[in-house]
Amino acid sequence: MNPDVAFDYPWLAEPLAQLRQAYDGGRFHHALLLNGAPGMGKSALCQYLAKTVLCDAAPGLYACGRCKSCHLVKAGNHPDWCSIDNAELSIGIDEIRKAGEFVHKRPNIAKARVITILGAEQMTEAASNALLKTLEEPAKNVYLLLSCNALSRLLPTILSRCHKLTIQAPDRQQSIAYLQSFNGALNHHQCDILLQLASNAPLKVTEWLKSHSLDALNQAEQQYFGWRQGQLAPSQYASFLGQSDFAFLLFGHLLKQDMTQKLAQGGADNEDLLASFSAITHAVAQYRQQHEQVKGQNQQLALLRLINQVSRLL
């Protein structure tokens, strides 16, 4: 990982400055919990902080990127860094127990030891209880850096023993500037649509852009308006929506825009429109639930039913 990765995300500059100030003032907590919505860069900041703590050359929470420790962190095999993430969607007790054993060992080459737990809300109950023991008995020169998407899924006793820092979504203009620096072909309209789909999480948008071209975004818009204007048969549009989750997500976004515009123009008919739009929202939510929970359902047929139902209600 690039040693200056945190600086690639301008909205992280302020929380990083706060942490540096606390570190320089001797107030940096031994257990830091970064929380916020997905796609804000919490994991990247955790890993950058680990790099800064382990760096041999740079003072404070900075990483030189050139010393032995920085190179070992970049290679992912620093002996004084234990990294746990939720790649398997669950963090078990064995991983946390190993981290607990790691805490009580002496540093090998750095001045401290660091444990990062990314996606801490994915810990099992047993793993959470094991981590609690580590938090209750902090070892000298050991830092635990956690990231979390949902504080409500962590034990209150864990929350009470961590310093919590919320990573806020950047403002829209800052997000657009970042996305256009990531992909110079993005225009303001495209950035705005993608950010709305991602709840203004820039890194969620960049993940989409890695797997979907701008042509896919333009095509999804064209297909939607083709269906709405009667130029595309419902069966054809259902077939298109079934090709990717991204296409269906954009369908929901454009549908919401459509309904909002109709309400603004509705006048005396707003009560009927609200009833129709409530039914549409329920139908879309029901399809999503069935798509996620019902195995073996005929997706094409389910989408066609949804499209026809929405057409009748619009």
Side-chain angles (χ1 to χ4, degrees):
M1 182 174 288
N2 188 317
D4 295 322
V5 66
F7 296 107
D8 290 340
Y9 312 141
W11 61 94
L12 294 180
E14 184 176 344
L16 182 56
Q18 294 175 17
L19 293 170
R20 282 175 170 156
Q21 187 176 23
Y23 188 88
D24 292 341
R27 295 176 286 104
F28 191 79
H29 203 278
H30 75 280
L32 173 66
L33 173 60
L34 300 177
N35 68 91
M40 299 300 177
K42 300 182 301 297
S43 294
L45 183 53
C46 265
Q47 295 185 346
Y48 178 77
L49 289 171
K51 193 168 301 179
T52 64
V53 169
L54 296 171
C55 178
D56 295 330
L61 289 182
Y62 293 87
C64 71
R66 299 181 299 276
C67 69
K68 181 178 180 180
S69 278
C70 282
H71 284 301
L72 287 171
V73 168
K74 184 177 181 180
N77 56 8
H78 197 295
D80 296 318
W81 182 23
C82 174
S83 179
I84 300 170
D85 64 42
N86 65 337
E88 301 301 323
L89 300 181
S90 178
I91 297 175
I93 189 172
D94 290 342
E95 294 169 280
I96 300 301
R97 279 177 175 166
K98 288 178 183 177
E101 294 169 2
F102 175 87
V103 161
H104 297 290
K105 295 178 181 178
R106 293 175 60 85
N108 285 277
I109 63 172
K111 56 185 179 290
R113 313 206 93 195
V114 180
I115 298 171
T116 54
I117 304 178
L118 310 181
E121 74 275 13
Q122 301 291 355
M123 288 188 295
T124 63
E125 184 177 354
S128 296
N129 288 322
L131 178 65
L132 188 57
K133 294 180 181 179
T134 301
L135 291 171
E136 288 172 340
E137 302 172 2
K140 186 178 180 181
N141 294 328
V142 173
Y143 295 96
L144 282 84
L145 308 173
L146 292 73
S147 72
C148 174
N149 294 332
L151 287 181
S152 61
R153 294 177 59 185
L154 290 177
L155 294 178
T157 44
I158 287 179
L159 296 177
S160 67
R161 286 165 174 77
C162 294
H163 173 70
K164 297 176 286 297
L165 181 61
T166 300
I167 304 301
Q168 303 287 354
D171 65 58
R172 186 56 60 92
Q173 291 307 314
Q174 191 177 44
S175 294
I176 289 174
Y178 171 75
L179 291 177
Q180 290 181 329
S181 70
F182 178 83
N183 186 328
L186 280 167
N187 60 42
H188 192 285
H189 171 70
Q190 292 166 330
C191 287
D192 197 57
I193 287 178
L194 291 169
L195 285 167
Q196 287 184 57
L197 291 175
S199 301
N200 203 28
L203 300 188
K204 191 181 290 187
V205 175
T206 59
E207 285 303 308
W208 284 336
L209 292 172
K210 289 174 185 176
S211 55
H212 299 283
S213 67
L214 291 182
D215 287 341
L217 174 62
N218 295 331
Q219 185 184 19
E221 283 192 286
Q222 291 169 2
Q223 293 279 320
Y224 176 83
F225 290 117
W227 163 66
R228 288 290 289 120
Q229 294 164 6
Q231 300 167 357
L232 189 68
S235 58
Q236 292 176 295
Y237 189 47
S239 178
F240 172 78
L241 290 182
Q243 293 175 16
S244 73
D245 290 337
F246 178 77
F248 188 81
L249 193 62
L250 189 58
F251 162 71
H253 168 74
L254 294 171
L255 191 59
K256 183 178 178 180
Q257 278 191 334
D258 236 349
M259 292 190 294
T260 302
Q261 185 177 10
K262 278 183 173 291
L263 275 175
Q265 301 170 346
D269 297 328
N270 270 5
E271 188 173 336
D272 291 338
L273 286 173
L274 282 170
S276 295
F277 296 163
S278 176
I280 289 173
T281 302
H282 175 74
V284 171
Q286 189 176 45
Y287 166 80
R288 283 178 174 153
Q289 184 179 19
Q290 291 175 345
H291 178 59
E292 292 172 0
Q293 297 179 358
V294 181
K295 295 182 180 180
Q297 78 161 339
N298 187 322
Q299 184 187 17
Q300 176 70 20
L301 183 58
L303 277 169
L304 182 57
R305 288 194 190 118
L306 175 65
I307 294 300
N308 285 332
Q309 185 177 1
V310 170
S311 295
R312 290 192 299 271
L313 291 167
L314 275 175

